[in-house]
Amino acid sequence: MPLSTRGLFALTWLETKIFLREPLGAIGSMVVPVLAFLVLGRALPRTVPLTATPYAGLLAPGGVPVLVSILIANSAVLSLVAIISIYREGGILKRLRATPLRPPTILTAHVLVKLLLTAVTMALMTLVGRRYFSPGVDVPVISFAIALLIGTWSILSIGFVIASIVPTARFAQPIGAFILYPMIGLSGLFAPLSAFPPALRTVARLLPMTYVVSLLGGIWRGEGWLAHLGDIGALVVAFVVCTALSSRVFRWE
Amino acid sequence: MAATCGRSVIHVEHIRKSYGTLRAVDEISLDVYEGEIFGLIGPNGAGKTTTMECVEGIRTPDSGTITVLGLDPFRDVYQLQERIGVQLQQAQLQKRIKVWEAVHLWASLYKRKTASGEQLLEQLGLADKRDAWFMTLSGGQKQRLFIALALINDPEVVFLDELTTGLDPQARRAIWDLVRGIRDRGKTVFMTTHLMEEAERLCDRVAIIERGRIIDVDTPERLVVKNCPQRTVVLATDDSGAAEAFGRIPRLDSVTRADARFMLHGSGEEFVTDVIQCLSDNHVRVTDFRTVLPTLEDVFLKLTGHSIRE
Ligand SMILES: Nc1ncnc2c1ncn2[C@@H]1O[C@H](COP(=O)(O)OP(=O)(O)OP(=O)(O)O)[C@@H](O)[C@H]1O
Ligand SMILES: [Mg+2]
């Protein structure tokens, strides 16, 4: 089904405004990760030298920003799952579908809102971080932001798969968290993949979160994009697979 | 009133739709003609919404064919959505969307020239609510907003599913006028209701549907004449000879009496004339006189064996 831009920007803008009108949701998904950044950043030692860490672990340089970025992406996905299931339960999706709006347009608007939210949170984190928690090294902030948007975009497609299977809006957040947090646990952020038993390592390699962590960590350490083409490729594959899957199983009412 | 003379804009042939083992729609066929208000009436769960949503292209029937404005609602769904307006029975909008934002968004979705949103809000009595969030509207105000959204693209066919549910009598009448106005501009209206009064006053033709099947289709008047020929005359008189005189009225089925009050039950269009004739021939003085005609409600009772409210 072709994506039509008619109504896309109107809908995206409107959904952004509507999102910001709900103070709890907006604060929860933007302020909490930034606070986490500050607290973790102060609590963890920053003395581990770059060369001593063969992986982008939590204690490595960039470990905290990567973790917080993952949290940002995560909350975007959970918020997407919640919104989609609430809209489905309330018949809002059905009402939008009884217009010339094409289904992919409706869903893309929500992806754009979440990416916008991620970008703004990232900007906030950078501002706050610059002031209170100097990363010490020259971080390619713009590249890092782009990497985060790519990662978020890819795992948002998992959000659609989750949104397709949650039975009611009440279960949206718990089921979403149940699927996403183990993915973070296996992503190589807390322990290097090489330390996993082989079976677990294979599972981790199949999960897109692993590639998000690898991409973000690498960009933070100043590695070039070319070194991470594999990660980006994996994220694109994850997006394509999840989008195809959700277009088959997605329920509108 | 166009009744059956216009071109068929909705053509439904033998559609079926099941949910699991439940046959929600079982072999329904119908035609809706250009410029008429066509109503589906029937009890809860009869299959009205299912039928209508198949025609709107948001559900697919298991079998059968549907044509709307010459289009296939499944294959040509986007083309069709441009030209129709839909009010769903159960719908919500985003909790915190403002009334004017909804109207503007809807107006931006159509390629064709749209109606004036502000004017529609005015007509529907929502002008002072234009800045209110959807979640703060009352049930009737939400309903009126949905009607505004259904009319925003100046559609050729308007689908209204239970359009006045939850409205107060005043708003209901205003909506009826609005719907008649739509028809008078040459548009076609396909609606459902379980209010017999609404069907009787508003619809040019109605289809009575029960358990997924259409039992009868016609104008409300003809449905009544065809199915319920009985007439009742209620009158009050002190005349002692009245009871005996009434006994000679032709086509009289029965008389019930409470003191000076008589209810004469008969059948056929001539019955009321016969009663008046009898009163005049026998010089019976009456202090009250009225006729009670059967309504769609009675037709419904007769055809389905139960009231629509059961
Ligand atoms: N999505 C669905 N899944 C399962 N069953 C359904 C679904 N939609 C409708 N039904 C069933 O199909 C039957 C017809 O429903 P429908 O909504 O068409 O009735 P209706 O005539 O519009 O009733 P009402 O007057 O209550 O609006 C009902 O028994 C209903 O329970
Ligand atoms: Mg219904």
Side-chain angles (χ1 to χ4, degrees):
Chain A
M1 237 178 306
L3 175 71
S4 154
T5 54
R6 176 175 291 278
L8 178 62
F9 298 110
L11 191 59
T12 305
W13 174 231
L14 194 56
E15 291 291 354
T16 307
K17 285 199 284 182
I18 292 170
F19 177 76
L20 293 176
R21 283 176 192 159
E22 190 164 23
L24 266 183
I27 291 175
S29 44
M30 300 207 304
V31 176
V32 170
V34 174
L35 282 181
F37 177 54
L38 283 179
V39 172
L40 281 175
R42 280 165 187 267
L44 291 173
R46 283 189 285 128
T47 49
V48 186
L50 200 85
T51 45
T53 52
Y55 67 97
L58 200 55
L59 295 181
V64 170
V66 170
L67 171 65
V68 172
S69 304
I70 295 284
L71 290 181
I72 295 174
N74 209 29
S75 79
V77 177
L78 288 179
S79 153
L80 178 86
V81 173
I83 287 182
I84 296 292
S85 51
I86 290 170
Y87 277 27
R88 172 171 50 221
E89 205 163 285
I92 302 171
L93 287 180
K94 187 174 168 190
R95 185 62 197 87
L96 285 171
R97 230 166 61 118
T99 66
L101 267 180
R102 287 160 197 245
T105 309
I106 302 171
L107 302 183
T108 304
H110 286 281
V111 170
L112 291 181
V113 175
K114 294 305 156 211
L115 289 180
L116 204 64
L117 175 77
T118 304
V120 170
T121 315
M122 171 74 204
L124 268 181
M125 186 172 102
T126 312
L127 280 178
V128 172
R130 277 265 163 82
R131 202 169 144 80
Y132 297 104
F133 174 61
S134 155
V137 282
D138 228 6
V139 178
V141 173
I142 300 290
S143 295
F144 188 76
I146 294 172
L148 178 57
L149 288 181
I150 293 174
T152 309
W153 166 75
S154 177
I155 55 174
L156 279 173
S157 66
I158 303 180
F160 279 113
V161 178
I162 301 174
S164 311
I165 57 172
V166 291
T168 65
R170 251 171 64 87
F171 293 118
Q173 296 271 5
I175 292 182
F178 183 77
I179 295 175
L180 287 174
Y181 283 108
M183 282 176 42
I184 299 178
L186 291 177
S187 67
L189 193 56
F190 300 100
L193 288 195
S194 53
F196 290 171
L200 218 50
R201 201 180 312 153
T202 312
V203 173
R205 288 230 169 83
L206 287 174
L207 298 176
M209 199 69 86
T210 310
Y211 301 96
V212 180
V213 167
S214 161
L215 176 66
L216 287 176
I219 297 293
W220 183 275
R221 291 189 301 271
E223 295 167 14
W225 288 97
L226 280 180
H228 289 277
L229 280 183
D231 293 334
I232 294 176
L235 291 175
V236 170
V237 169
F239 173 81
V240 170
V241 170
C242 290
T243 305
L245 187 63
S246 63
S247 76
R248 300 213 136 211
V249 294
F250 197 79
R251 292 175 297 121
W252 293 90
E253 52 172 311
Chain B
M1 251 187 248
T4 56
C5 51
R7 147 184 95 98
S8 163
V9 290
I10 299 174
H11 179 69
V12 173
E13 222 173 280
H14 304 302
I15 61 161
R16 285 175 179 227
K17 175 86 184 174
S18 301
Y19 301 107
T21 55
L22 176 86
R23 275 242 170 106
V25 172
D26 191 6
E27 286 281 330
I28 281 190
S29 301
L30 56 87
D31 275 284
V32 178
Y33 299 100
E34 187 166 25
E36 74 172 342
I37 302 178
F38 183 90
L40 273 184
I41 61 177
N44 292 139
K48 304 183 291 297
T49 298
T50 306
T51 305
M52 187 173 256
E53 292 187 348
C54 287
V55 177
E56 291 160 354
I58 52 183
R59 280 191 214 197
T60 25
D62 301 332
S63 62
T65 54
I66 304 177
T67 317
V68 185
L69 294 164
L71 300 169
D72 177 334
F74 185 66
R75 217 186 41 223
D76 315 315
V77 61
Y78 301 116
Q79 256 173 295
L80 182 63
Q81 293 299 346
E82 279 285 334
R83 297 170 65 186
I84 65 173
V86 169
Q87 182 252 131
L88 300 170
Q89 180 178 5
Q90 269 168 341
Q92 295 285 321
L93 290 180
Q94 295 89 326
K95 277 186 180 171
R96 291 175 172 78
I97 195 171
K98 290 180 182 170
V99 168
W100 72 265
E101 288 173 336
V103 171
H104 275 235
L105 174 67
W106 252 252
S108 74
L109 301 180
Y110 295 89
K111 288 199 206 82
R112 59 199 284 156
K113 199 181 155 299
T114 52
S116 155
E118 300 297 332
Q119 202 180 324
L120 272 175
L121 290 182
E122 191 74 50
Q123 262 180 324
L124 287 157
L126 283 174
D128 58 331
K129 287 283 171 192
R130 65 186 298 285
D131 289 317
W133 286 353
F134 180 79
M135 64 190 278
T136 66
L137 299 179
S138 75
Q141 289 164 343
K142 287 178 182 165
Q143 187 78 345
R144 282 182 272 158
L145 174 57
F146 281 120
I147 295 174
L149 298 182
L151 299 179
I152 194 80
N153 58 330
D154 196 19
E156 291 157 64
V157 187
V158 187
F159 294 88
L160 303 168
D161 198 354
E162 309 273 346
L163 79 160
T164 60
T165 302
L167 296 186
D168 58 41
Q170 221 177 338
R172 183 169 290 157
R173 260 152 236 274
I175 301 287
W176 288 350
D177 283 341
L178 197 84
V179 174
R180 287 192 197 103
I182 301 171
R183 187 224 7 232
D184 296 344
R185 282 186 291 122
K187 320 277 178 179
T188 309
V189 179
F190 185 9
M191 56 177 275
T192 77
T193 182
H194 51 239
L195 294 177
M196 292 294 152
E197 190 200 354
E198 182 165 281
E200 210 149 23
R201 290 186 175 220
L202 202 52
C203 296
D204 297 316
R205 287 193 309 135
V206 296
I208 297 178
I209 170 172
E210 196 194 33
R211 283 196 212 102
R213 287 173 172 273
I214 288 185
I215 309 178
D216 206 349
V217 191
D218 217 326
T219 65
E221 300 79 26
R222 274 207 292 267
L223 280 175
V224 172
V225 171
K226 208 160 46 178
N227 294 293
C228 298
Q230 59 273 44
R231 297 283 182 276
T232 300
V233 171
V234 180
L235 56 81
T237 178
D238 295 328
D239 196 315
S240 51
E244 197 213 326
F246 293 152
R248 294 193 292 271
I249 299 174
R251 284 181 284 258
L252 179 79
D253 297 333
S254 64
V255 180
T256 48
R257 178 178 184 179
D259 298 330
R261 238 181 151 64
F262 291 84
M263 286 177 83
L264 313 179
H265 306 279
S267 45
E269 303 211 330
E270 295 300 305
F271 178 68
V272 179
T273 316
D274 293 342
V275 173
I276 294 173
Q277 187 75 46
C278 165
L279 293 174
S280 128
D281 287 352
N282 296 284
H283 306 289
V284 177
R285 291 179 55 83
V286 295
T287 54
D288 186 13
F289 184 96
R290 73 197 152 86
T291 57
V292 181
L293 300 181
T295 61
L296 264 190
E297 186 99 47
D298 301 300
V299 174
F300 194 85
L301 191 64
K302 168 101 181 288
L303 289 180
T304 66
H306 57 81
S307 154
I308 193 162
R309 280 184 260 279
E310 275 167 32

